[in-house]
Amino acid sequence: MNAKEVQVYINGKTYGASEGEPLIGVARRNGIFIPSLCYEESLEPYGACRMCIVEIKNEGVKKRIVTSCTLHVFDGLSVETDSEEVLKHRKVLLELYLAQAPNSSKLKELALKYGVNRTRFRQKVRDNDPLNNSCVLCGLCVRVCSEVMGARVISFIGRGEKTRVNTPYFEQSELCLGCRACAEVCPTGAIEFRDDGGIRVAASWSNTKVELKKCNVCGKYYAPVKLDKRIDTLYYYRDKDGELRDMCPDCRRKAMTRKMTLIAENEVEKYAK
Amino acid sequence: MKIGNFEDIERIKERGLKKLKPEDRIRVSVGMATCGISVGGDAVFDAFRGMLGYRDDVILTRTGCIGFCHEEPLVNIYIPEKGILILHRVQPESVKDIVNNLDSVETLDSVLCQIDSWDHLVGGKIEYGNGFEGIPRWNELDFFKPQRKLVMRNAGIINPEDIDEYIAVGGYSALYRVLKGMTPDEVIDEVKKSGLRGRGGAGFPTGVKWELAKNEQSDVKYVICNADEGDPGAYMNRNEMESDPHSVIEGMIIGGYAIGAHKGIIYIRAEYPLALYRLQKAINEAKSYGLLGKNILGSDFDFEITISKGAGAFVCGEETALIASIEGETGRPRPRPPYPAQKGLWGKPTNINNVETWTNIPLIIKKGGEWFRQFGNEKSPGTKVFSLVGKVENVGLVEVELGTPIRTVVYDIGGGAPKGRKVKAVQTGGPSGGCIPAKFFDLPIDYENLTKVGSIMGSGGMVVMDENTCMVDTARFFLDFSVDESCGKCVPCREGLKQMLTMLQGISSGEGARSDLETLSELSETIKTTSLCGLGQTAPNPVLTTLKYFKEEYIEHVDKKRCRAGICEDLVYAPCHNSCPLGQDAPSYIAYIAHGEFDRSLEVIMRTNPFPGILGRVCDHPCELHCRAGEGGDPISIRALKRFAADRGAMPHIKIETEKDKRVAIVGSGPAGLSAAYFLRLKGYGVDIFESEDKPGGMLRIIPDYRLPKDVLDREIKRIEGFGVNIKYGIKVGEDKTIHELFNEGYDALFLGVGFRNGAKLNIPGEEAEGVFDGISFLKRVAKGEKLDLGENIYVVGGGNVAIDAARTAWRIAENANVNIVYRRTRREMPAIGGEVEDALFEWINIEFLTNPVKIITENGRVKAVEWVKMKLGEIDESGRPRPIPIEGSEFVTPVDTLIVCVGQTPDLSFAKGVEGLNLAGNTVSVDLDTMATSLKGVFAGGDIVTGPSTVVRAAAAGKTASESIDRYLKGGELKREFKVVFPSENVPLLKFSAEELKKLSLMGRVESPKVPLDRRRGSFVEVEKTLDVEAAIVEAKRCLRCDVKER
């Protein structure tokens, strides 16, 4: 189903978009910066971090502040991404974030971008916090783990201001694939993984341990065993005799190249004959 | 049996009517909604069952709550041909009495009112009988009179657990009409026509909502009843489900038919077990009659209702979170759009309405949308049920038309705050709503008006707050709730509210700063604007509204470390101390009395009180109004105990600090002047008082002897003089001496303690006639011993303490006269001390309320009669009281021999004549209230001349405050006053009580001072109140809860 092409106005300029897509996507595609901590294209809009607020400025409509990740564009939509009102609220939100996650340097960087270098609010510091007092509960890790990886290792624990993210009962999880997708999407760099020989330790997730696979060729640990099982070399590389299995990406690439070269040489020879 | 046609319904209706209104049997139904059961309704029911079990002439059933929860347990007794009697506050012990007197039950004391006929609306009016003589009808009671029962049309009358009775009062006839002859569009049209708006709080038009859901194309749709009622203090939905569950079910079936849904879900919190039980029973009964299930009433419409139990999260009242909860997910809201009407439960179009909205539906279908519109106002038709709770006399469920002023609900129905306290505000909409201050009480209650003042309608919680409610604490309480109930998804609500709570906790413990107030409102705005769901968007409302309307209380907490309501624990060690203008350490001196150490008690009193004998007699005792013992029982008789200590205790040795070479002149020897003199003298300053009269005491001297004997007054003043205070009589500052001359005479500072010593005039014709007095000069002349002939008909105009004093004095002098007080407002607005008014009434002094003089009719220059006019109360004026308005054509004349006018006082401002630089505000001197310093250097002022006519204790407190700043001024330091949290001055050990003694004390009422019998009062000025005797004083002191002791 092809969505209707529409025109939207962002900060006064006209952009094309397809009807119903989130505004934040349109903006980012066109190089307009809208800060966000919980938006990820591959996931459903979640609307938790409230950083991506914009102001709707259509004529005849009451000006209002909405999150651009949940704003479905329509023809003639006009928004401002950094209006005075938006900036005012965004700064207060940043102060709240700084108080909530005082240890995150990524967050401090973002705050500085808006001229926020301190917070008026009481800082929330937990002793021995597995997330290093950097988590802002954006939910990206939880969602990527369940929606993309299908693993559901971590989830929210408790509610309200006592909410935390971790494995159930803070026990080591058997479900973790060790994919590090959570750490990858984390906007504040709160999630810590550590590779310890043949074991990957998810330090943030109750020290969940995942076994790593060793490369048959170079001996390097390259991927968690559980993930490696999912790699279908037959499908991807037409690896009929399975010789590309159990190889780290580097060695596999080398082997592939070798194989291709061989095939190419054979072809050349065939041609020459 | 399945109902298939109209005849079936008629048959069941007849059967139901026989149960509801049996021809030859008495029917006893006990109010057994949760409110009734919680105060013993089930025990009452059991008692009835025990006594009536064998009798076949009496039917015993349960019923819901009619709304008057304050009077529960209620019992309805139906007597054939006569009607229903409602008995209130029935206890199991009194059941025997009721059963034995069933034939003459109307003679019982517990009869509240009767119902001779009741309009069930859907089924029409039912005549229950011809009525009982001499018993008020239900709608003649103040509580019910302004109410309009639409939603609660059956509550408290029918048995909610019997579908026959519901059908008897017209139940399911609306459904019958819908299924037998209306298209879904017609149903929606009717609802749209009615203008019904969502009763969950947001007020979205119900008909429009239905249309949206109907227009969605889907094979499966849902209707949901939102019964996740969770505001603190709100329970109207609970009662609607407990008292009339079938109304909800019928509404849902009709709604399902209209939008094309075949499945209904009631989302109800598991903490409402009774509502759950009754709903389930109602569903089962409806199923057995074919009102739910396949082919309802023989039509081709199928509908099922199931119940989904919630775990009681407040956020699950938000529709998307509610849907998530039914689906088994964590109750967290989802971004909208898509709206539930498009993609709701399990991704299907879903229509969610509140319990009360559903309850309205059968009524609208049966009576028509046009009919419904006659109630309420243009934009908000219909009625709304409010649960009226908090600091109000009549707690209960109140159903009024939308557009009814708040005043009607709080005062007429609710009866105002208990113990004569003033209502300060109401909170509507629970933690999402705001505090509406009393000055807006004329506001009609509807969606738009409440939003305008910063609150919301909400689902109908209405919490009344009085003087004993701290607004900072209120905001903190609701915020605490919201923090607890925040789901934690979005940051403004999760983190922002918590930060707000932290700040508020700081403020209420005296650690707040002014900048916190700004941060609070800034943060509130951001939370309101950027939160994901309704919970966060509205949670700052309590803070925003209290900050807006009660900012002075916040500032007091921050700057003065004071909580005027006496609630914030860290700032207040005891509410009596906190409310005392003088800061008397009441818990300590009361405790010493309990220990039998009367001398030490007086010593504690004298530290902050210059004349305990006087204040022990005439103080208006704000301490007793705030006493915590008074919350559940009677407040301690603190004033009587002070008087006891003053009369009994030996004069303590009071040390005067080393003599200082500075001298202070004090103008006026009233309570303010005497108090300033006393405290300055104790600090070692030379003090001279200049008094224009020839006797000291100022306004204290006109207090009649029966309240304050002159020998007590003289004794107390003598004592102050004994410390070295000189009183110079006959010198009027301003005429005999100017302020500048005083400074030239060598005084280093000056305190103005001048009173308001001239009576104000009415400014009506004939006022100069003989026989017309102003209250002050009347009292003054009596005090000087003048003999006055007052005649037979004495009228006193006014409602203040002077009026009461004048009336009681006249009553004593003129032994055969009839004495009347005429006041233009009502008892509630009377400024006089409550006890004084009661004493006046006890002395057979007649008080005419809502009356005002128009003209004095004279004969030969003497008053002969007065023409009066009746008044009614209008809108609230600047004084916070309703303005009296004359009713035209209500004038009447009565013969009058003496008219005493006590409508206010004016000051003698001659001291300010020609004094440059002394700022006045109208007829008072303007001062900095923290220091009592005037605009003139070295000149301080306090008492009536600053505040206008006020009480003795306030004047004394002003003198004390001034003495402290004069001390700072003379020492050359900073004049500014520093505020600190005050702690008890003594550490009096707790008494040990045996369990038996403790029980006895806790059940005891307060000990009042003995009073002279009525027959010895007339013609005599003997003091009416006597000192407590030793035993009584000790027992009363033992009743003190000792709020000052924090740890045990």
Side-chain angles (χ1 to χ4, degrees), chain A residues 10-51:
Chain A
I10 304 176
N11 299 338
K13 283 190 183 160
T14 319
Y15 301 94
S18 43
E19 189 170 42
E21 69 170 313
L23 180 92
I24 190 170
V26 183
R28 291 200 168 168
R29 196 161 64 225
N30 291 295
I32 301 163
F33 176 72
I34 297 179
S36 118
L37 298 171
C38 75
Y39 178 73
E40 181 64 46
E41 255 174 84
S42 55
L43 299 168
E44 287 281 305
Y46 190 59
C49 79
R50 319 309 284 174
M51 282 300 291

Side-chain angles (χ1 to χ4, degrees), chain B residues 391 421 424 465-474 553 556-557 562-569 571-572 574-580 622-623 625-628 631:
Chain B
K391 305 282 181 64
R421 291 192 286 249
K424 190 146 94 178
M465 295 154 192
D466 69 3
E467 301 166 63
N468 281 7
T469 319
C470 168
M471 298 324 267
V472 179
D473 184 67
T474 303
E553 283 195 36
E556 240 173 47
H557 280 76
R562 178 176 154 72
C563 169
R564 64 170 79 168
I567 297 295
C568 294
E569 234 180 282
L571 302 181
V572 176
C576 47
H577 160 268
N578 188 63
S579 57
C580 180
C623 46
L625 204 60
H626 291 86
C627 175
R628 279 205 189 115
E631 291 290 326

Side-chain angles (χ1 to χ4, degrees), chain B residues 201-216:
Chain B
F204 192 79
T206 306
V208 179
K209 202 172 186 176
W210 287 16
E211 198 168 36
L212 288 174
K214 180 185 175 283
N215 291 342
E216 285 295 320

Side-chain angles (χ1 to χ4, degrees), chain B residues 607-908:
Chain B
R607 277 181 211 154
T608 50
N609 189 337
F611 26 68
I614 297 174
L615 279 168
R617 284 171 172 80
V618 301
C619 186
D620 65 328
H621 51 73
C623 46
E624 293 182 19
L625 204 60
H626 291 86
C627 175
R628 279 205 189 115
E631 291 290 326
D634 288 340
I636 309 295
S637 296
I638 302 177
R639 185 179 79 181
L641 287 174
K642 176 183 303 184
R643 170 176 172 170
F644 170 81
D647 291 359
R648 274 277 171 170
M651 184 55 208
H653 175 71
I654 292 172
K655 209 175 137 248
I656 298 175
E657 286 176 29
T658 42
E659 290 290 334
K660 299 192 172 67
D661 56 352
K662 301 258 165 64
R663 288 165 67 213
V664 184
I666 287 171
V667 183
S669 67
L674 286 173
S675 165
Y678 172 78
F679 290 111
L680 282 167
R681 184 64 205 127
L682 293 191
K683 290 193 170 80
Y685 294 102
V687 181
D688 292 336
I689 300 181
F690 294 88
E691 171 59 51
S692 61
E693 305 269 336
D694 54 0
K695 283 204 168 125
M699 296 292 282
L700 288 172
R701 196 155 283 278
I702 69 157
I703 297 177
D705 272 33
Y706 64 85
R707 276 175 71 201
L708 178 62
K710 293 286 174 293
D711 57 321
V712 175
L713 176 65
D714 290 334
R715 194 170 66 219
E716 300 259 305
I717 297 176
K718 271 265 138 46
R719 183 165 61 209
I720 294 174
E721 282 181 289
F723 289 116
V725 172
N726 302 314
I727 306 183
K728 304 189 171 179
Y729 298 103
I731 301 174
K732 192 165 180 189
V733 174
E735 280 173 17
D736 304 324
K737 257 184 214 306
T738 65
I739 290 179
H740 292 298
E741 279 167 0
L742 283 173
F743 277 110
N744 290 341
E745 278 177 29
Y747 291 106
D748 301 284
L750 184 77
F751 176 75
L752 297 168
V754 186
F756 269 48
R757 16 176 290 168
N758 302 326
K761 283 199 178 324
L762 281 167
N763 295 325
I764 56 170
E767 215 173 338
E768 59 297 324
E770 207 181 310
V772 180
F773 299 87
D774 73 78
I776 301 286
S777 39
F778 171 74
L779 289 171
K780 216 182 265 176
R781 284 163 74 174
V782 174
K784 282 186 177 158
E786 232 177 283
K787 292 272 173 291
L788 297 165
D789 180 18
L790 301 176
E792 248 178 55
N793 299 308
I794 303 171
Y795 281 81
V796 179
V797 182
N801 285 319
V802 175
I804 307 285
D805 279 350
R808 292 181 70 189
T809 301
W811 182 83
R812 281 171 169 75
I813 302 172
E815 282 184 57
N816 297 315
N818 65 71
V819 182
N820 306 279
I821 296 175
V822 180
Y823 180 51
R824 56 187 183 146
R825 292 188 173 103
T826 66
R827 174 81 190 267
R828 192 194 300 285
E829 290 85 22
M830 257 182 136
I833 304 174
E836 291 294 312
V837 182
E838 268 151 41
D839 276 348
L841 290 169
F842 182 72
E843 287 168 4
W844 291 93
I845 291 170
N846 174 41
I847 308 185
E848 286 292 335
F849 293 106
L850 293 170
T851 311
N852 212 26
V854 187
K855 193 164 76 186
I856 298 167
I857 301 160
T858 55
E859 198 178 70
N860 302 329
R862 211 196 135 74
V863 57
K864 185 185 158 223
V866 171
E867 187 184 314
W868 311 91
V869 66
K870 292 303 273 183
M871 314 288 275
K872 62 178 180 207
L873 294 183
E875 295 204 345
I876 294 173
D877 62 11
E878 315 78 54
S879 70
R881 300 177 296 176
R883 191 188 302 280
I885 304 166
I887 304 171
E888 255 176 74
S890 66
E891 292 84 358
F892 62 101
V893 178
T894 56
V896 172
D897 299 313
T898 301
L899 185 72
I900 306 172
V901 180
C902 312
V903 293
Q905 289 136 254
T906 54
D908 185 347

Side-chain angles (χ1 to χ4, degrees), chain A residues 46-50 53 65 70 72 89 92-93 96-97 99-100 120-122 124 136-137 156 159-161 163, chain B residues 313 332 335 484-492 494-496 498-499 502 519 522-523 526 529-532:
Chain A
Y46 190 59
C49 79
R50 319 309 284 174
I53 46 174
I65 303 273
T70 57
H72 303 274
H89 294 307
V92 176
L93 290 176
L96 286 173
Y97 278 124
Q100 188 197 357
R120 283 171 287 177
F121 307 123
R122 187 174 294 178
K124 207 162 136 183
V136 292
L137 297 169
F156 292 109
R159 66 169 193 173
E161 51 101 17
T163 312
Chain B
R332 290 183 145 195
D484 215 37
E485 292 293 346
S486 164
C487 79
K489 181 169 177 178
C490 71
V491 74
R494 181 187 66 225
E495 301 299 324
K498 174 72 184 172
Q499 294 292 358
T502 311
T519 313
E522 197 183 323
L523 187 51
T526 296
T529 320
T530 62
S531 283
L532 172 61

